[in-house]
Amino acid sequence: VSEKRKDAPNIAQLIRERRFDLVVNVPKHRPGTKVTTDGRVIRDLTVQQGIELVTEIDVAQLTLQKLTDRKRS
């Protein structure tokens, strides 16, 4: 997914098109920060579109392992 090329789809567009079944987006915890980050926008849009969202690295790793195991079975 391109962030820089104007002729390539961006992540928001692909999420709106429901091109993903799962999005992994782990926020950086910055206490006291009120700035809306790109990550926050991605997470909000993912939830709005009803796409599965993983926000914890340990859950992402476990999910990937389970999917890999399932594929090998």
Side-chain angles (χ1 to χ4, degrees), residues 60-73:
Q61 290 171 332
L62 182 60
T63 301
L64 179 60
Q65 184 60 52
K66 294 295 182 181
L67 290 170
T68 302
D69 292 347
R70 179 195 261 177
K71 187 174 181 179
R72 289 182 182 158
S73 297

Side-chain angles (χ1 to χ4, degrees), residues 1 6 15 21 28 33 35 37-38 45 50-51 53 58-59 63 67 69:
V1 176
K6 297 197 188 279
I15 290 171
D21 295 318
K28 295 179 184 176
T33 301
V35 175
T37 64
D38 289 343
L45 187 56
I51 299 170
L53 174 66
D58 57 335
V59 175
T63 301
L67 290 170
D69 292 347

Side-chain angles (χ1 to χ4, degrees), residues 36-51:
T36 302
T37 64
D38 289 343
R40 179 61 186 207
V41 172
I42 291 167
R43 291 187 297 278
D44 288 348
L45 187 56
T46 299
V47 171
Q48 290 168 6
Q49 294 298 315
I51 299 170

Side-chain angles (χ1 to χ4, degrees), residues 14-15 17-24 46 49-54 63 67:
L14 294 173
I15 290 171
E17 293 172 1
R18 299 190 49 80
R19 303 276 297 272
F20 304 104
D21 295 318
L22 172 72
V23 172
V24 176
T46 299
Q49 294 298 315
I51 299 170
E52 298 293 329
L53 174 66
V54 174
T63 301
L67 290 170

